[in-house]
Amino acid sequence: MEQIKGVAASKGISIGSVLLYQTGDPKVSKKQTNDVLGEIARFEAAVQTAVATLGELHERALQTVGEKEAAVFEIHQMMLEDLDFLEGVKDCITSESCNAEYAVQQAGGQLAEMFAGMDDEYMRERASDVRDVSARVVRVLCGCDGNPLEGVKGQVIVAAEDLMPSETIQMDTSKVLAFVTRLGSKISHSAILARTMGIPAVVGLREGFDTLKAGQEIIVDGFNGDVYLGPDEKTLAHFKNERDLYLEKKRVLRSLIGKRAVSLDGKEIEINANIGHPADIALCEENDAGGIGLFRSEFLYMESQDFPSEDFQFESYRDILQKMAGKRVIVRTLDLGADKHAPYFKLPHEDNPAMGYRAIRICLRQPDIFITQLRALHRASVFGKLAIMFPMITSLKEVLEIKKVVALVKCQLDEEHIPYSKEIEYGIMIETPAAVMATDLLAREVDFFSIGTNDLTQYTLACDRMNASLSELYDPRNLSVLRMIALTVRNAHKAGIWAGICGESAGDLELTGLYLKLGVDELSVSPASVLEVRNKVLHTDSREVDDSMLNLYTV
């Protein structure tokens, strides 16, 4: 038996035989042509065919994985209408007098390399979208755009160099036990699709992928990112038992839908969901989230080619509020910078972007952008229960400046006779040590705190959370971080406001009991974690939690 290590991309355990699936761009060679106009016409026809096919895939994805994941195929359609891509292909055909297939590969490859070289992980993953789109057009030109698993009998574990979103969604899921890939990351579209479809997946096997053989029996552990080749009887028995336990756990969690999150000692806590796109609401509903504790509005900017207009933003916020049907929706204002970028912002290069020009600093220095977003949010507020949250606060001065801008926006809307809710809650993220140490003052100016433990951990421990070599130092359970959370909650309650946690540690089941004991009012987690956290709360007695280490010193 051999064990190889990858990245856990989708939970679950599968046991089965390997199907080595050949993916990627069809192999084409450069051919000279005397009919440049004819090749351009072939290319344009192939693009139209590809657009039509993507429309069909979008409809199929809506039925199988929902609106959020289906959106990728709309994005691919837009890519095929992108002038840089279209003109790049035509210029290559014209300047090199070459065949359309070769030109598509060249232009698509250059565009993919541009994305792959970006600092932001989200943008780097968009390189796979470009490759997917290019490969689709080439397959149409070559006449080989078929079903990926056509002719496969029985159930298999699909092993591939990488999987494009279109390949993933076209597969007959009744035949797929799991996915394993040499490349890929947890945030690739195919990994997201695998999670949505409930198919276990391990990606990023790298050189370990070369040890896989067609027809070989393997175990895929989507919890730990392990793949076992030729497992012995003891290992098989162990993982069959783990698989059955997991399926039973999923059944039990579904039974918690509709129940309040009340601990054994009677403490109730609100459990909400973090989302980054209006389409994510379907997952919130499916997992019975109490509301949206964090809507990352920067994705509206990252998915746009230019600054999103007030009307565009208004429609997005209105859509969310209407779909949440009276449940509270907390929208975080623009949080670009650091690891999130939109090229048209033209943000300066920084040696230390995590501590640079980002989030509220951009909004206060470029108030036209800030006012546009705040106007859109206030206009949408009449359609539901809205709360607005401001990130990356370091001082009372910033909060007072924000309140002036909010007052200006309300004055504008009043003068224009545009209605907005008078019940909007205004809160701030507590994610810097500076904010923590001023929580007694800040609490007097806002309606709530939401603790962003990702950045709070990073700044407290002077540890870049994006630096893999420092992963052992980056610890949200560090005593100093937990004391900062305790101080924040204490000062919030003294001022009569509520305090929640929206960072990754909100979903850490080892900390749930401590958060209950500290009096945390709300936890906002990924939609898939809502029921797991609720289950933990229901089986926890916070009186039994030892929090003595937090009180060794007066804070």
Side-chain angles (χ1 to χ4, degrees):
M1 181 179 73
E2 183 177 357
Q3 178 182 349
I4 54 177
K5 189 74 177 177
V7 177
S10 182
K11 292 181 180 179
I13 292 170
S14 287
I15 303 169
S17 59
V18 172
L19 172 73
L20 292 177
Y21 175 62
Q22 299 299 317
T23 64
D25 295 351
K27 301 299 181 183
V28 299
S29 57
K30 183 178 182 180
K31 298 178 181 178
Q32 296 300 123
T33 180
N34 294 321
D35 187 8
V36 168
L37 293 179
E39 288 301 304
I40 291 176
R42 284 183 65 230
F43 166 63
E44 291 175 338
V47 167
Q48 293 305 311
T49 299
V51 168
T53 302
L54 286 167
E56 295 172 3
L57 289 175
H58 178 257
E59 292 302 315
R60 181 184 302 180
L62 283 174
Q63 299 299 319
T64 56
V65 296
E67 185 178 353
K68 177 195 173 186
E69 277 67 43
V72 64
F73 299 108
E74 290 184 312
I75 294 171
H76 284 193
Q77 285 177 309
M78 288 190 289
M79 284 182 172
L80 284 176
E81 297 166 355
D82 181 78
L83 289 178
D84 288 338
F85 174 69
L86 296 175
E87 293 304 318
V89 175
K90 292 177 184 178
D91 287 346
C92 183
I93 293 173
T94 302
S95 63
E96 300 190 33
S97 299
C98 65
N99 53 322
E101 292 91 337
Y102 176 79
V104 171
Q105 281 198 348
Q106 290 296 105
Q110 291 172 3
L111 194 57
E113 285 181 12
M114 181 190 75
F115 276 103
M118 292 184 178
D119 293 333
D120 179 63
E121 186 179 9
Y122 177 86
M123 299 305 290
R124 285 200 303 272
E125 281 300 326
R126 301 296 68 79
S128 67
D129 293 315
V130 176
R131 285 191 285 267
D132 193 354
V133 167
S134 301
R136 175 167 298 283
V137 176
V138 171
R139 286 196 298 269
V140 173
L141 288 165
C142 295
C144 57
D145 196 22
N147 190 315
L149 290 185
E150 190 173 355
V152 172
K153 296 180 180 180
Q155 293 183 304
V156 294
I157 293 174
V158 176
E161 285 284 316
D162 199 0
L163 284 169
M164 300 297 110
S166 58
E167 293 171 322
T168 306
I169 200 64
Q170 280 182 277
M171 290 185 181
D172 181 350
T173 54
S174 67
K175 297 180 178 180
V176 180
L177 293 170
F179 295 125
V180 294
T181 64
R182 181 196 301 275
L183 306 176
S185 75
K186 291 180 70 172
I187 66 168
S188 66
H189 281 310
S190 289
I192 294 169
L193 285 172
R195 289 194 289 273
T196 306
M197 292 187 290
I199 297 174
V202 173
V203 301
L205 289 171
R206 304 299 172 183
E207 60 272 8
F209 183 84
D210 295 325
T211 61
L212 295 171
K213 297 179 175 59
Q216 180 182 33
E217 184 178 40
I218 66 172
I219 297 172
V220 177
D221 180 357
F223 296 103
N224 300 303
D226 295 318
V227 178
Y228 297 85
L229 286 59
D232 54 40
E233 290 300 320
K234 183 179 179 180
T235 305
L236 276 172
H238 169 75
F239 279 101
K240 285 178 180 178
N241 183 59
E242 290 294 310
R243 179 184 60 190
D244 293 343
L245 289 173
Y246 174 62
L247 294 175
E248 174 61 17
K249 179 183 176 182
K250 287 178 67 175
R251 187 194 66 77
V252 170
L253 290 178
R254 300 302 298 173
S255 72
L256 300 181
I257 290 177
K259 291 188 176 182
R260 294 160 53 204
V262 182
S263 67
L264 293 174
D265 55 323
K267 288 190 174 183
E268 183 167 7
I269 192 166
E270 188 176 341
I271 303 176
N272 296 325
N274 298 333
I275 69 170
H277 195 284
D280 294 336
I281 291 175
L283 292 175
C284 296
E285 295 171 339
E286 179 185 340
N287 291 282
D288 196 34
I292 294 174
L294 169 63
F295 173 65
R296 303 179 179 94
S297 68
E298 58 271 14
F299 285 94
L300 295 178
Y301 296 79
M302 292 171 69
E303 293 179 357
S304 298
Q305 298 299 313
D306 201 349
F307 294 98
S309 68
E310 179 182 323
D311 285 342
F312 174 79
Q313 293 190 61
F314 160 71
E315 291 170 2
S316 297
Y317 303 139
R318 179 192 62 192
D319 182 37
I320 296 169
L321 288 163
Q322 287 179 327
K323 287 181 177 178
M324 290 306 291
K327 294 182 178 180
R328 181 170 56 203
V329 175
I330 301 176
V331 178
R332 180 176 69 188
T333 58
L334 177 64
D335 189 12
L336 281 181
D339 59 331
K340 298 185 287 289
H341 300 281
Y344 55 87
F345 269 77
K346 296 183 169 63
L347 297 179
H349 173 76
E350 297 176 304
D351 292 333
N352 195 352
M355 296 187 180
Y357 186 50
R358 57 174 295 197
I360 202 64
R361 298 169 181 178
I362 294 175
C363 291
L364 291 177
R365 287 195 193 178
Q366 297 178 248
D368 53 330
I369 298 173
F370 197 25
I371 289 171
T372 297
Q373 181 173 34
L374 289 175
R375 282 179 59 92
L377 283 166
H378 281 77
R379 286 172 55 195
S381 66
V382 297
F383 293 94
K385 186 177 181 180
L386 175 67
I388 302 175
M389 179 165 67
F390 305 99
M392 197 61 186
I393 300 299
T394 59
S395 70
L396 178 61
K397 178 184 177 183
E398 289 170 332
V399 174
L400 296 178
E401 288 182 21
I402 290 167
K403 293 181 77 171
K404 288 180 181 178
V405 179
V406 170
L408 172 64
V409 166
K410 288 181 176 180
C411 184
Q412 289 179 350
L413 295 175
D414 287 338
E415 290 176 352
E416 297 169 29
H417 304 291
I418 297 175
Y420 58 89
S421 172
K422 302 300 189 290
E423 305 298 324
I424 300 173
E425 291 180 280
Y426 300 93
I428 58 174
M429 289 190 71
I430 303 297
E431 51 189 338
T432 67
V436 172
M437 300 311 295
T439 45
D440 57 334
L441 303 175
L442 297 171
R444 303 172 190 172
E445 304 294 337
V446 297
D447 298 313
F448 67 92
F449 289 154
S450 187
I451 304 169
T453 53
N454 298 353
D455 271 336
L456 182 59
T457 301
Q458 170 174 248
Y459 296 134
T460 301
L461 302 181
C463 177
D464 182 358
R465 62 190 176 98
M466 303 301 289
N467 189 334
S469 66
L470 300 178
S471 59
E472 292 184 3
L473 297 178
Y474 179 81
D475 181 14
R477 301 180 188 178
N478 180 280
L479 179 59
S480 296
V481 177
L482 296 178
R483 284 184 173 173
M484 289 202 169
I485 293 172
L487 177 60
T488 299
V489 174
R490 183 187 308 174
N491 283 337
H493 290 171
K494 280 183 180 179
I497 67 172
W498 64 268
I501 299 175
C502 64
E504 287 297 316
S505 76
D508 185 343
L509 300 183
E510 295 298 318
L511 292 175
T512 304
L514 178 62
Y515 291 154
L516 283 167
K517 187 148 190 175
L518 292 177
V520 173
D521 301 287
E522 179 249 14
L523 296 172
S524 191
V525 300
S526 67
S529 297
V530 168
L531 294 176
E532 287 185 344
V533 176
R534 182 178 300 171
N535 184 57
K536 182 66 175 180
V537 170
L538 289 168
H539 291 86
T540 297
D541 187 331
S542 68
R543 293 170 299 189
E544 299 175 355
V545 177
D546 180 13
D547 66 340
S548 59
M549 289 296 290
L550 299 184
N551 298 304
L552 286 176
Y553 304 98
T554 301
V555 289

